[in-house]
Amino acid sequence: MLVKNNEDLYELLDSLLREPTEFWNTFYKDKEKNVPFFCDRPDEHLVKYIERQIIKPRKVLEIGCGNGRNAIYLAQKGCTVTAVDLSQRAIDWAKEQADVNNVNIQFVCENIFNLNLELQEFDYIYDSGCFHHLSPHRRVSYIQFINKYLKNNGYFSISAFKENGKYGGSSLSDKQYYMDRTLYGGLGYSKEKLQILFSEFQEIEIRDMQHNNLNRDEFGLEDFIVCIFKKV
Ligand SMILES: C[S@@+](CC[C@H](N)C(=O)[O-])C[C@H]1O[C@@H](n2cnc3c(N)ncnc32)[C@H](O)[C@@H]1O
């Protein structure tokens, strides 16, 4: 490959690591397997942002929507939702669930870095568990993505593995992932790392996810960090 621009360079680096589409399609083959987020409950922090009116989104983009549990909640709360995932199996499952819940969501099966929607149209971009599966160089593409699709004064949220937590959350150096050619199941983040990475945005809140094993309406796992930022 002849690297001519940044995108060529990112694609070259992508090729050193796992190709995600096949991995995630295989991951979603068995919907009955014991995966915590194979459920129909929305994230606890998302429910709080909406109930406490920290955000009042109208048009929402969910990235890495999986089975659609958060997209469906947002649609039930009156948002116009576009939900993207690169796995066709995840999208098919999410469409089924949207039908069961009688909500209308625009689903798109695509890698977020190949997405081609209208520019800057969303009030809120929601990511539950996608960002920590992206390789270090794709953080640059991720911030470009947020700036491209989020309106000024819009918000975005991420939930990610905490470093060295129960679910992994690798804390190796960025260089090591390319040397070992693996992300070790997902990268771990701390409050400080998120503050550094998203310093061009206004921090609204960064906190631990609340572990909600007794709450039947909301989903929460220990060893996750959740954050919400504003594009100003
Ligand atoms: C840990 S799962 C979380 C799924 C869902 N957000 C949830 O919490 O139930 C991560 C999701 O991100 C999707 N994903 C990973 N990388 C992606 C990318 N570059 N573009 C679009 N989707 C991606 C995967 O297919 C998977 O569904």
Side-chain angles (χ1 to χ4, degrees), residues 18 20-21 23-25 27-28 35-39 41 43 62-70 84-88 90-91 108-114 126-134 138 159 161 219 224:
R18 180 180 74 196
T21 309
F23 171 83
W24 285 107
N25 267 326
F27 184 85
Y28 282 103
V35 173
F37 58 86
F38 281 12
C39 69
R41 290 168 291 151
D43 290 336
E62 185 179 12
I63 54 185
C65 67
N67 73 2
R69 61 193 180 85
N70 290 305
V84 183
D85 202 289
L86 52 63
S87 160
Q88 187 61 55
I91 291 290
V108 183
C109 183
E110 188 59 273
N111 189 316
I112 57 166
F113 301 123
N114 299 330
Y126 191 71
D127 172 343
S128 181
C130 182
F131 178 71
H132 59 201
H133 290 295
L134 303 177
R138 282 296 176 186
S159 53
F161 295 135
F219 174 85
F224 268 69

Side-chain angles (χ1 to χ4, degrees), residues 52-199:
R52 292 185 194 153
Q53 302 200 344
I54 295 173
I55 47 164
K56 294 176 196 159
R58 293 184 301 276
K59 287 195 76 178
V60 181
L61 175 63
E62 185 179 12
I63 54 185
C65 67
N67 73 2
R69 61 193 180 85
N70 290 305
I72 290 167
Y73 170 77
L74 286 161
Q76 286 169 334
K77 291 290 160 190
C79 302
T80 302
V81 183
T82 301
V84 183
D85 202 289
L86 52 63
S87 160
Q88 187 61 55
R89 283 208 172 93
I91 291 290
D92 290 346
W93 188 6
K95 279 183 179 164
E96 269 171 40
Q97 293 303 109
D99 287 347
V100 169
N101 286 280
N102 205 18
V103 289
N104 188 21
I105 294 171
Q106 184 195 7
F107 287 106
V108 183
C109 183
E110 188 59 273
N111 189 316
I112 57 166
F113 301 123
N114 299 330
L115 203 61
N116 203 2
L117 304 172
E118 263 179 61
L119 301 186
Q120 296 209 355
E121 39 162 24
F122 295 96
D123 305 301
Y124 187 40
I125 297 181
Y126 191 71
D127 172 343
S128 181
C130 182
F131 178 71
H132 59 201
H133 290 295
L134 303 177
S135 37
H137 65 283
R138 282 296 176 186
R139 294 183 199 125
V140 182
S141 320
Y142 191 92
I143 289 176
Q144 286 168 350
F145 179 93
I146 297 284
N147 278 318
K148 183 173 169 188
Y149 287 115
L150 192 61
K151 286 179 186 165
N152 287 336
N153 297 315
Y155 295 81
F156 70 93
S157 298
I158 293 172
S159 53
F161 295 135
K162 284 176 75 171
E163 288 177 318
N164 305 317
K166 183 174 173 186
Y167 298 95
S170 176
S171 61
L172 296 173
S173 70
D174 283 352
K175 182 177 171 186
Q176 200 65 45
Y177 300 118
Y178 299 96
M179 288 172 62
D180 297 349
R181 301 188 64 171
T182 171
L183 299 181
Y184 291 101
L187 309 192
Y189 287 94
S190 61
K191 181 171 182 169
E192 293 69 30
K193 276 189 180 174
L194 292 170
Q195 284 171 328
I196 291 168
L197 291 172
F198 297 108
S199 60

